[in-house]
Structure formats: structure tokens, C-alpha cells
Amino acid sequence: MNKREYEILETKENILADNDISAKRVREELKKHKVFMVNLMASPGAGKTTLLVRTIKALKDRYRIGVMEADVDSDVDTAAVVKAGAKAIQLHTGGSCHMDADMTMRGMTALGLDDLDVLFLENVGNLVCPAEFDVGATKKVTILSVPEGDDKPLKYPLMFEVTDLLLIGKMDVLPVFDFDVERCKRYVGKLNDHIDVLPLSQKTGEGFEAWITWLEKQIEMVKGEKNESH
């Protein structure tokens, strides 16, 4: 066998290894400040910002809320969450289709964690790249909207394998689309037997109580760690 005259460098493995180191740093900072962080992922148009605005309004009287809005080049979503009552920062990814842990750390540093109880990262709209990069968040939440179809777990399995909570969004338009909620749950369950699934409507508020209850439980768990440490 002839010896190669060149080297093969597995760049993706190196990138992911470096990202894991940064993700560990993010987790350490979140733990230090006792902040619960959600990495919110979904396709473009699935309703991430609408979900956040309604969520902020439901929680802002009880918790201090921060939002990191990741986008290729826009700030319209940031303006919406600030108006709703959250502290926010815009993160331009420079064309990247996802956030990584280093970007997240820089965003957290710029936003500040001292006066926050919960932090949302609205990741770039994409069901592929964001699933590959651990940003160090406490929990990963994915929205699959009814108009997208119930077969998306079959087409983008990694996203649903890594997600802690799946929100089936835009339930108000369910009668118009061929979307079977139970079938979707079966698809997801075969990929991830630890995932929770909550159907809701960002527009009408249907199912929102369960989502808010889930969030409050997670936030209080982190705050409880704070109380135990003193």
C-alpha cells in the first residue's frame, strides 16, 4: 500500500471537541449564578419568538428573564422580547446556521447573569445544525409546528434525539393540516424515550399552562440548589 503524501485532518471532530470544552464552561457559569437556561430550537417560522413573548409575559412578574436572540442578520425578534419585558441581547452569527458554546459564552458575558433567574437562547432557525452543537444549556427545547408535518422526526432524527422537551406548536391550525399528534409522539418516542411532549398554541394560549408549569419546576429546582448552598 502506498504511503500518503498528505495528512487527513478530521476537522469536525476537533471542532466538536473544542465546543464541548466551551459548553462545560457555560454550564459552570450557569451553575455559579444559579440560572436556568433553555436552548430553544426550531425551523424558521415555527413560532419561537411568539412562544417567547407569551412566555415572558406569563413569567416576568415572578422571575428575572434574559433572552439571547441568535440570527444570521436581524434584530426584529430582539425588539419583540424586550417589549414583552425581558432583558435581551442580539447575537449575529455571521452566516453560521447555528450557535456554538463559545458564541453562547460571549453572549452570556455581554448580557450578564447576575440579575437573571432564567435565560432563553433562541437558536438559529434550523432543524439540523443546532442539534449537533451543545451550547451548555440546562435543557434543550424544540418546537415542531403543525404546518411542518408530523414526519419531521423521521427526517431530522438527531434534533429529536437530543431534545428534552418537544413542543408541538400552532395547535390552533390542526384542523387544517394532516398532522397526527399521536403518530408524531410515536415517532419521537422511538428516537428518545426520555422526551416530554406538550402540544400548545402560541396564538391562543391552548396548552400553555403545562409549558409554564414545566418551566417553573425547572427554574425552582435551580433556585433550590442556590438555597441549599447557603
Side-chain angles (χ1 to χ4, degrees), residues 14-75:
N14 292 340
I15 290 171
L16 291 176
D18 290 342
N19 185 79
D20 288 344
I21 294 172
S22 295
K24 182 179 178 181
R25 290 177 54 224
V26 169
R27 275 187 278 272
E28 289 171 350
E29 283 299 300
L30 292 170
K31 185 175 181 179
K32 175 182 174 182
H33 290 85
K34 305 303 176 184
V35 174
F36 171 67
M37 178 180 165
V38 173
N39 178 12
L40 183 62
M41 301 175 285
S43 297
K48 295 189 299 298
T49 306
T50 305
L51 177 92
L52 282 179
V53 167
R54 197 173 192 112
T55 301
I56 291 165
K57 290 178 179 178
L59 294 177
K60 66 180 180 180
D61 292 337
R62 298 190 296 282
Y63 301 111
R64 301 168 298 172
I65 305 169
V67 178
M68 295 189 293
E69 284 285 352
D71 212 330
V72 174
D73 186 17
S74 170
D75 63 356

Short mmCIF file of all heavy atoms in Angstrom, two decimals, residues 14-75:
data_model
loop_
_atom_site.label_atom_id
_atom_site.label_comp_id
_atom_site.label_asym_id
_atom_site.label_seq_id
_atom_site.Cartn_x
_atom_site.Cartn_y
_atom_site.Cartn_z
N ASN A 14 -12.43 17.81 15.81
CA ASN A 14 -11.72 18.82 16.59
C ASN A 14 -12.65 19.96 16.99
O ASN A 14 -12.59 20.46 18.12
CB ASN A 14 -10.54 19.37 15.78
CG ASN A 14 -9.45 18.34 15.57
OD1 ASN A 14 -9.38 17.35 16.30
ND2 ASN A 14 -8.60 18.57 14.59
N ILE A 15 -13.50 20.38 16.06
CA ILE A 15 -14.43 21.47 16.34
C ILE A 15 -15.38 21.07 17.46
O ILE A 15 -15.63 21.83 18.39
CB ILE A 15 -15.21 21.85 15.07
CG1 ILE A 15 -14.28 22.54 14.07
CG2 ILE A 15 -16.39 22.77 15.41
CD1 ILE A 15 -14.90 22.76 12.71
N LEU A 16 -15.92 19.85 17.38
CA LEU A 16 -16.87 19.40 18.39
C LEU A 16 -16.18 19.21 19.74
O LEU A 16 -16.78 19.48 20.79
CB LEU A 16 -17.53 18.10 17.94
CG LEU A 16 -18.49 18.22 16.76
CD1 LEU A 16 -19.01 16.86 16.34
CD2 LEU A 16 -19.65 19.16 17.07
N ALA A 17 -14.92 18.76 19.73
CA ALA A 17 -14.18 18.59 20.98
C ALA A 17 -13.95 19.94 21.64
O ALA A 17 -14.13 20.09 22.86
CB ALA A 17 -12.85 17.88 20.72
N ASP A 18 -13.56 20.94 20.85
CA ASP A 18 -13.37 22.29 21.39
C ASP A 18 -14.69 22.85 21.91
O ASP A 18 -14.73 23.53 22.93
CB ASP A 18 -12.80 23.21 20.31
CG ASP A 18 -11.36 22.88 19.94
OD1 ASP A 18 -10.71 22.19 20.75
OD2 ASP A 18 -10.91 23.32 18.87
N ASN A 19 -15.76 22.57 21.18
CA ASN A 19 -17.08 23.05 21.60
C ASN A 19 -17.50 22.44 22.93
O ASN A 19 -18.09 23.13 23.78
CB ASN A 19 -18.11 22.72 20.53
CG ASN A 19 -19.47 23.30 20.85
OD1 ASN A 19 -19.72 24.48 20.65
ND2 ASN A 19 -20.37 22.48 21.36
N ASP A 20 -17.19 21.18 23.14
CA ASP A 20 -17.54 20.53 24.39
C ASP A 20 -16.84 21.18 25.58
O ASP A 20 -17.41 21.28 26.67
CB ASP A 20 -17.19 19.04 24.33
CG ASP A 20 -18.12 18.26 23.42
OD1 ASP A 20 -19.20 18.79 23.08
OD2 ASP A 20 -17.77 17.12 23.04
N ILE A 21 -15.60 21.62 25.36
CA ILE A 21 -14.86 22.31 26.42
C ILE A 21 -15.55 23.63 26.77
O ILE A 21 -15.73 23.97 27.94
CB ILE A 21 -13.40 22.56 25.98
CG1 ILE A 21 -12.66 21.24 25.84
CG2 ILE A 21 -12.68 23.46 26.99
CD1 ILE A 21 -11.28 21.36 25.23
N SER A 22 -15.96 24.36 25.73
CA SER A 22 -16.66 25.63 25.95
C SER A 22 -18.02 25.40 26.60
O SER A 22 -18.45 26.19 27.45
CB SER A 22 -16.83 26.38 24.63
OG SER A 22 -15.58 26.76 24.09
N ALA A 23 -18.70 24.34 26.20
CA ALA A 23 -20.01 24.03 26.78
C ALA A 23 -19.88 23.75 28.28
O ALA A 23 -20.75 24.13 29.07
CB ALA A 23 -20.63 22.84 26.07
N LYS A 24 -18.82 23.11 28.67
CA LYS A 24 -18.58 22.85 30.09
C LYS A 24 -18.42 24.16 30.84
O LYS A 24 -18.93 24.32 31.96
CB LYS A 24 -17.34 21.98 30.26
CG LYS A 24 -17.05 21.62 31.70
CD LYS A 24 -15.81 20.74 31.82
CE LYS A 24 -15.50 20.41 33.29
NZ LYS A 24 -14.28 19.57 33.42
N ARG A 25 -17.73 25.12 30.24
CA ARG A 25 -17.55 26.44 30.86
C ARG A 25 -18.89 27.16 31.01
O ARG A 25 -19.15 27.81 32.02
CB ARG A 25 -16.58 27.29 30.03
CG ARG A 25 -15.14 26.84 30.08
CD ARG A 25 -14.28 27.70 29.18
NE ARG A 25 -14.41 29.11 29.49
CZ ARG A 25 -14.54 30.08 28.58
NH1 ARG A 25 -14.58 29.77 27.28
NH2 ARG A 25 -14.64 31.34 28.95
N VAL A 26 -19.74 27.03 29.99
CA VAL A 26 -21.07 27.65 30.05
C VAL A 26 -21.85 27.07 31.22
O VAL A 26 -22.47 27.79 32.01
CB VAL A 26 -21.85 27.44 28.74
CG1 VAL A 26 -23.32 27.84 28.91
CG2 VAL A 26 -21.21 28.24 27.60
N ARG A 27 -21.84 25.74 31.36
CA ARG A 27 -22.56 25.09 32.44
C ARG A 27 -22.04 25.53 33.81
O ARG A 27 -22.81 25.72 34.76
CB ARG A 27 -22.47 23.56 32.30
CG ARG A 27 -23.52 22.98 31.37
CD ARG A 27 -23.52 21.47 31.38
NE ARG A 27 -22.49 20.95 30.51
CZ ARG A 27 -22.65 20.71 29.21
NH1 ARG A 27 -23.81 20.96 28.63
NH2 ARG A 27 -21.68 20.22 28.48
N GLU A 28 -20.73 25.70 33.90
CA GLU A 28 -20.15 26.14 35.17
C GLU A 28 -20.61 27.54 35.54
O GLU A 28 -20.90 27.83 36.70
CB GLU A 28 -18.62 26.09 35.08
CG GLU A 28 -18.06 24.67 35.04
CD GLU A 28 -16.57 24.63 34.72
OE1 GLU A 28 -16.02 25.70 34.34
OE2 GLU A 28 -15.96 23.56 34.85
N GLU A 29 -20.70 28.43 34.53
CA GLU A 29 -21.16 29.79 34.78
C GLU A 29 -22.63 29.82 35.18
O GLU A 29 -23.04 30.55 36.08
CB GLU A 29 -20.94 30.66 33.54
CG GLU A 29 -19.51 31.10 33.33
CD GLU A 29 -19.00 31.94 34.49
OE1 GLU A 29 -19.61 33.01 34.76
OE2 GLU A 29 -18.02 31.53 35.12
N LEU A 30 -23.44 29.01 34.51
CA LEU A 30 -24.85 28.94 34.85
C LEU A 30 -25.04 28.42 36.27
O LEU A 30 -25.86 28.93 37.04
CB LEU A 30 -25.59 28.03 33.86
CG LEU A 30 -25.71 28.53 32.42
CD1 LEU A 30 -26.25 27.42 31.53
CD2 LEU A 30 -26.60 29.77 32.33
N LYS A 31 -24.28 27.41 36.62
CA LYS A 31 -24.36 26.84 37.97
C LYS A 31 -23.91 27.85 39.01
O LYS A 31 -24.53 28.00 40.07
CB LYS A 31 -23.51 25.57 38.06
CG LYS A 31 -23.63 24.85 39.38
CD LYS A 31 -22.86 23.53 39.35
CE LYS A 31 -23.00 22.80 40.69
NZ LYS A 31 -22.27 21.51 40.68
N LYS A 32 -22.85 28.57 38.70
CA LYS A 32 -22.32 29.58 39.62
C LYS A 32 -23.35 30.66 39.92
O LYS A 32 -23.50 31.10 41.06
CB LYS A 32 -21.05 30.21 39.01
CG LYS A 32 -20.46 31.35 39.81
CD LYS A 32 -19.25 31.92 39.08
CE LYS A 32 -18.71 33.15 39.78
NZ LYS A 32 -17.55 33.73 39.02
N HIS A 33 -24.08 31.09 38.88
CA HIS A 33 -25.06 32.16 39.04
C HIS A 33 -26.47 31.64 39.31
O HIS A 33 -27.40 32.42 39.46
CB HIS A 33 -25.07 33.05 37.79
CG HIS A 33 -23.83 33.88 37.63
ND1 HIS A 33 -22.70 33.39 37.02
CD2 HIS A 33 -23.55 35.15 38.01
CE1 HIS A 33 -21.76 34.34 37.01
NE2 HIS A 33 -22.25 35.41 37.62
N LYS A 34 -26.62 30.30 39.32
CA LYS A 34 -27.91 29.67 39.56
C LYS A 34 -28.97 30.15 38.56
O LYS A 34 -30.08 30.53 38.92
CB LYS A 34 -28.38 29.93 41.00
CG LYS A 34 -27.38 29.49 42.05
CD LYS A 34 -27.03 28.02 41.90
CE LYS A 34 -25.95 27.63 42.91
NZ LYS A 34 -25.52 26.22 42.72
N VAL A 35 -28.60 30.09 37.29
CA VAL A 35 -29.50 30.49 36.21
C VAL A 35 -29.92 29.26 35.41
O VAL A 35 -29.07 28.46 35.01
CB VAL A 35 -28.83 31.52 35.26
CG1 VAL A 35 -29.72 31.81 34.06
CG2 VAL A 35 -28.52 32.81 36.01
N PHE A 36 -31.21 29.11 35.20
CA PHE A 36 -31.74 28.03 34.36
C PHE A 36 -31.77 28.52 32.91
O PHE A 36 -32.33 29.56 32.61
CB PHE A 36 -33.15 27.66 34.81
CG PHE A 36 -33.85 26.71 33.87
CD1 PHE A 36 -33.39 25.41 33.72
CD2 PHE A 36 -34.95 27.12 33.15
CE1 PHE A 36 -34.02 24.54 32.86
CE2 PHE A 36 -35.60 26.25 32.28
CZ PHE A 36 -35.13 24.96 32.14
N MET A 37 -31.15 27.75 32.01
CA MET A 37 -31.04 28.17 30.61
C MET A 37 -31.69 27.17 29.67
O MET A 37 -31.47 25.96 29.79
CB MET A 37 -29.58 28.36 30.22
CG MET A 37 -29.39 28.76 28.76
SD MET A 37 -27.64 28.99 28.36
CE MET A 37 -27.73 28.97 26.56
N VAL A 38 -32.46 27.69 28.74
CA VAL A 38 -33.13 26.89 27.71
C VAL A 38 -32.51 27.19 26.35
O VAL A 38 -32.40 28.35 25.95
CB VAL A 38 -34.64 27.21 27.64
CG1 VAL A 38 -35.28 26.51 26.45
CG2 VAL A 38 -35.33 26.81 28.93
N ASN A 39 -32.12 26.14 25.65
CA ASN A 39 -31.72 26.27 24.25
C ASN A 39 -32.95 25.96 23.41
O ASN A 39 -33.36 24.80 23.30
CB ASN A 39 -30.58 25.30 23.93
CG ASN A 39 -30.14 25.35 22.47
OD1 ASN A 39 -30.51 26.26 21.72
ND2 ASN A 39 -29.34 24.38 22.06
N LEU A 40 -33.57 26.99 22.85
CA LEU A 40 -34.83 26.84 22.10
C LEU A 40 -34.53 26.70 20.62
O LEU A 40 -33.96 27.61 19.99
CB LEU A 40 -35.73 28.04 22.35
CG LEU A 40 -37.12 28.01 21.70
CD1 LEU A 40 -37.94 26.83 22.22
CD2 LEU A 40 -37.84 29.33 21.95
N MET A 41 -34.92 25.57 20.04
CA MET A 41 -34.60 25.26 18.65
C MET A 41 -35.86 24.96 17.85
O MET A 41 -36.82 24.41 18.39
CB MET A 41 -33.63 24.08 18.59
CG MET A 41 -32.32 24.33 19.32
SD MET A 41 -31.23 22.86 19.37
CE MET A 41 -32.07 21.87 20.61
N ALA A 42 -35.84 25.30 16.58
CA ALA A 42 -36.99 25.05 15.70
C ALA A 42 -36.65 25.49 14.29
O ALA A 42 -35.64 26.17 14.06
CB ALA A 42 -38.22 25.80 16.20
N SER A 43 -37.51 25.13 13.35
CA SER A 43 -37.38 25.61 11.97
C SER A 43 -37.76 27.08 11.89
O SER A 43 -38.45 27.61 12.77
CB SER A 43 -38.31 24.81 11.05
OG SER A 43 -37.96 23.46 11.01
N PRO A 44 -37.34 27.77 10.84
CA PRO A 44 -37.81 29.14 10.64
C PRO A 44 -39.33 29.17 10.53
O PRO A 44 -39.93 28.33 9.86
CB PRO A 44 -37.17 29.54 9.30
CG PRO A 44 -35.99 28.62 9.14
CD PRO A 44 -36.40 27.33 9.78
N GLY A 45 -39.96 30.09 11.22
CA GLY A 45 -41.40 30.22 11.14
C GLY A 45 -42.20 29.30 12.04
O GLY A 45 -43.43 29.28 12.00
N ALA A 46 -41.51 28.52 12.89
CA ALA A 46 -42.22 27.57 13.77
C ALA A 46 -42.88 28.26 14.95
O ALA A 46 -43.72 27.67 15.62
CB ALA A 46 -41.26 26.49 14.27
N GLY A 47 -42.48 29.51 15.21
CA GLY A 47 -43.12 30.25 16.30
C GLY A 47 -42.28 30.41 17.55
O GLY A 47 -42.83 30.55 18.65
N LYS A 48 -40.95 30.42 17.41
CA LYS A 48 -40.07 30.56 18.57
C LYS A 48 -40.29 31.89 19.29
O LYS A 48 -40.46 31.94 20.51
CB LYS A 48 -38.60 30.43 18.16
CG LYS A 48 -38.20 29.07 17.62
CD LYS A 48 -36.70 28.94 17.44
CE LYS A 48 -36.10 29.93 16.46
NZ LYS A 48 -36.62 29.77 15.08
N THR A 49 -40.25 32.97 18.52
CA THR A 49 -40.37 34.29 19.14
C THR A 49 -41.75 34.51 19.72
O THR A 49 -41.91 35.08 20.81
CB THR A 49 -40.04 35.40 18.12
OG1 THR A 49 -38.75 35.14 17.54
CG2 THR A 49 -40.02 36.77 18.79
N THR A 50 -42.79 34.07 19.03
CA THR A 50 -44.15 34.20 19.55
C THR A 50 -44.29 33.43 20.86
O THR A 50 -44.93 33.90 21.81
CB THR A 50 -45.18 33.67 18.53
OG1 THR A 50 -44.99 34.34 17.28
CG2 THR A 50 -46.59 33.92 19.00
N LEU A 51 -43.67 32.24 20.92
CA LEU A 51 -43.68 31.46 22.16
C LEU A 51 -42.98 32.23 23.27
O LEU A 51 -43.49 32.31 24.40
CB LEU A 51 -42.98 30.13 21.94
CG LEU A 51 -42.88 29.26 23.20
CD1 LEU A 51 -44.07 28.33 23.30
CD2 LEU A 51 -41.57 28.47 23.23
N LEU A 52 -41.82 32.82 22.96
CA LEU A 52 -41.06 33.55 23.97
C LEU A 52 -41.82 34.76 24.49
O LEU A 52 -41.83 35.01 25.70
CB LEU A 52 -39.71 33.98 23.40
CG LEU A 52 -38.63 32.90 23.32
CD1 LEU A 52 -37.36 33.47 22.70
CD2 LEU A 52 -38.33 32.33 24.70
N VAL A 53 -42.44 35.50 23.60
CA VAL A 53 -43.17 36.71 24.02
C VAL A 53 -44.28 36.33 25.00
O VAL A 53 -44.44 36.96 26.06
CB VAL A 53 -43.74 37.45 22.80
CG1 VAL A 53 -44.75 38.51 23.23
CG2 VAL A 53 -42.61 38.11 22.00
N ARG A 54 -45.04 35.31 24.67
CA ARG A 54 -46.13 34.89 25.55
C ARG A 54 -45.58 34.33 26.86
O ARG A 54 -46.15 34.54 27.94
CB ARG A 54 -47.00 33.84 24.85
CG ARG A 54 -48.35 33.65 25.51
CD ARG A 54 -49.27 32.74 24.71
NE ARG A 54 -50.62 32.85 25.26
CZ ARG A 54 -51.64 33.39 24.61
NH1 ARG A 54 -51.47 33.88 23.39
NH2 ARG A 54 -52.83 33.46 25.18
N THR A 55 -44.47 33.63 26.80
CA THR A 55 -43.84 33.06 27.99
C THR A 55 -43.31 34.15 28.91
O THR A 55 -43.48 34.09 30.14
CB THR A 55 -42.70 32.11 27.58
OG1 THR A 55 -43.22 31.07 26.75
CG2 THR A 55 -42.03 31.50 28.80
N ILE A 56 -42.66 35.14 28.33
CA ILE A 56 -42.12 36.26 29.11
C ILE A 56 -43.24 36.97 29.86
O ILE A 56 -43.12 37.27 31.06
CB ILE A 56 -41.37 37.24 28.20
CG1 ILE A 56 -40.08 36.60 27.67
CG2 ILE A 56 -41.04 38.55 28.95
CD1 ILE A 56 -39.47 37.33 26.49
N LYS A 57 -44.34 37.22 29.18
CA LYS A 57 -45.46 37.90 29.82
C LYS A 57 -46.04 37.09 30.97
O LYS A 57 -46.51 37.64 31.97
CB LYS A 57 -46.54 38.20 28.78
CG LYS A 57 -46.13 39.26 27.76
CD LYS A 57 -47.22 39.48 26.72
CE LYS A 57 -46.81 40.56 25.73
NZ LYS A 57 -47.85 40.77 24.68
N ALA A 58 -45.98 35.75 30.85
CA ALA A 58 -46.52 34.88 31.89
C ALA A 58 -45.59 34.77 33.11
O ALA A 58 -46.05 34.53 34.22
CB ALA A 58 -46.78 33.49 31.33
N LEU A 59 -44.30 34.97 32.90
CA LEU A 59 -43.32 34.73 33.96
C LEU A 59 -42.68 35.99 34.54
O LEU A 59 -42.08 35.93 35.62
CB LEU A 59 -42.19 33.82 33.43
CG LEU A 59 -42.54 32.39 33.06
CD1 LEU A 59 -41.31 31.70 32.50
CD2 LEU A 59 -43.08 31.62 34.26
N LYS A 60 -42.78 37.11 33.86
CA LYS A 60 -41.96 38.28 34.22
C LYS A 60 -42.26 38.86 35.60
O LYS A 60 -41.40 39.55 36.17
CB LYS A 60 -42.11 39.37 33.15
CG LYS A 60 -43.49 39.99 33.05
CD LYS A 60 -43.51 41.05 31.96
CE LYS A 60 -44.88 41.69 31.83
NZ LYS A 60 -44.88 42.73 30.76
N ASP A 61 -43.43 38.60 36.15
CA ASP A 61 -43.75 39.11 37.49
C ASP A 61 -43.13 38.26 38.59
O ASP A 61 -43.09 38.67 39.76
CB ASP A 61 -45.26 39.19 37.69
CG ASP A 61 -45.91 40.26 36.82
OD1 ASP A 61 -45.20 41.20 36.42
OD2 ASP A 61 -47.12 40.13 36.54
N ARG A 62 -42.65 37.07 38.24
CA ARG A 62 -42.07 36.16 39.24
C ARG A 62 -40.59 35.91 39.04
O ARG A 62 -39.88 35.61 40.01
CB ARG A 62 -42.82 34.81 39.20
CG ARG A 62 -44.28 34.93 39.54
CD ARG A 62 -44.94 33.58 39.75
NE ARG A 62 -44.96 32.74 38.57
CZ ARG A 62 -45.82 32.90 37.56
NH1 ARG A 62 -46.68 33.89 37.58
NH2 ARG A 62 -45.81 32.09 36.53
N TYR A 63 -40.13 36.02 37.80
CA TYR A 63 -38.73 35.71 37.53
C TYR A 63 -38.07 36.78 36.67
O TYR A 63 -38.72 37.45 35.88
CB TYR A 63 -38.63 34.35 36.80
CG TYR A 63 -39.21 33.21 37.57
CD1 TYR A 63 -40.39 32.58 37.14
CD2 TYR A 63 -38.61 32.74 38.73
CE1 TYR A 63 -40.94 31.52 37.85
CE2 TYR A 63 -39.16 31.68 39.44
CZ TYR A 63 -40.32 31.08 39.00
OH TYR A 63 -40.87 30.04 39.69
N ARG A 64 -36.77 36.88 36.84
CA ARG A 64 -35.96 37.81 36.03
C ARG A 64 -35.52 37.05 34.78
O ARG A 64 -34.82 36.04 34.89
CB ARG A 64 -34.77 38.31 36.84
CG ARG A 64 -35.17 39.05 38.13
CD ARG A 64 -33.99 39.27 39.04
NE ARG A 64 -33.42 38.00 39.47
CZ ARG A 64 -32.27 37.91 40.17
NH1 ARG A 64 -31.60 39.01 40.49
NH2 ARG A 64 -31.81 36.73 40.53
N ILE A 65 -35.90 37.55 33.63
CA ILE A 65 -35.77 36.80 32.37
C ILE A 65 -34.78 37.47 31.43
O ILE A 65 -34.83 38.68 31.20
CB ILE A 65 -37.14 36.68 31.67
CG1 ILE A 65 -38.17 36.06 32.61
CG2 ILE A 65 -37.01 35.85 30.39
CD1 ILE A 65 -39.59 36.14 32.10
N GLY A 66 -33.91 36.66 30.86
CA GLY A 66 -32.97 37.12 29.83
C GLY A 66 -33.17 36.32 28.56
O GLY A 66 -33.54 35.14 28.60
N VAL A 67 -32.91 36.95 27.42
CA VAL A 67 -33.03 36.27 26.13
C VAL A 67 -31.82 36.61 25.27
O VAL A 67 -31.43 37.78 25.14
CB VAL A 67 -34.32 36.70 25.38
CG1 VAL A 67 -34.38 36.02 24.01
CG2 VAL A 67 -35.56 36.36 26.19
N MET A 68 -31.23 35.59 24.68
CA MET A 68 -30.19 35.78 23.67
C MET A 68 -30.80 35.39 22.33
O MET A 68 -31.19 34.24 22.14
CB MET A 68 -28.96 34.92 23.97
CG MET A 68 -28.25 35.31 25.25
SD MET A 68 -26.65 34.47 25.48
CE MET A 68 -27.19 32.77 25.71
N GLU A 69 -30.93 36.35 21.45
CA GLU A 69 -31.54 36.13 20.14
C GLU A 69 -30.45 35.91 19.09
O GLU A 69 -29.71 36.83 18.76
CB GLU A 69 -32.39 37.33 19.74
CG GLU A 69 -33.73 37.42 20.45
CD GLU A 69 -34.73 36.42 19.93
OE1 GLU A 69 -34.44 35.77 18.91
OE2 GLU A 69 -35.81 36.29 20.53
N ALA A 70 -30.37 34.69 18.58
CA ALA A 70 -29.38 34.37 17.56
C ALA A 70 -30.00 34.44 16.18
O ALA A 70 -31.07 33.87 15.95
CB ALA A 70 -28.79 32.99 17.80
N ASP A 71 -29.36 35.17 15.28
CA ASP A 71 -29.86 35.28 13.92
C ASP A 71 -28.68 35.55 13.00
O ASP A 71 -27.64 36.06 13.43
CB ASP A 71 -30.88 36.41 13.81
CG ASP A 71 -31.95 36.11 12.75
OD1 ASP A 71 -31.61 35.40 11.78
OD2 ASP A 71 -33.08 36.57 12.89
N VAL A 72 -28.86 35.22 11.74
CA VAL A 72 -27.80 35.47 10.77
C VAL A 72 -27.57 36.97 10.62
O VAL A 72 -26.44 37.45 10.64
CB VAL A 72 -28.16 34.84 9.41
CG1 VAL A 72 -27.13 35.22 8.35
CG2 VAL A 72 -28.25 33.33 9.53
N ASP A 73 -28.66 37.75 10.52
CA ASP A 73 -28.50 39.20 10.38
C ASP A 73 -29.85 39.88 10.52
O ASP A 73 -30.49 40.22 9.53
CB ASP A 73 -27.87 39.55 9.03
CG ASP A 73 -27.55 41.03 8.89
OD1 ASP A 73 -27.52 41.71 9.94
OD2 ASP A 73 -27.34 41.48 7.76
N SER A 74 -30.30 40.08 11.76
CA SER A 74 -31.59 40.73 12.01
C SER A 74 -31.70 41.03 13.49
O SER A 74 -31.01 40.42 14.31
CB SER A 74 -32.73 39.82 11.57
OG SER A 74 -33.97 40.34 12.00
N ASP A 75 -32.59 41.97 13.86
CA ASP A 75 -32.82 42.23 15.28
C ASP A 75 -34.31 42.41 15.59
O ASP A 75 -34.67 42.89 16.66
CB ASP A 75 -32.03 43.45 15.76
CG ASP A 75 -32.45 44.74 15.07
OD1 ASP A 75 -33.31 44.68 14.16
OD2 ASP A 75 -31.92 45.80 15.44
#
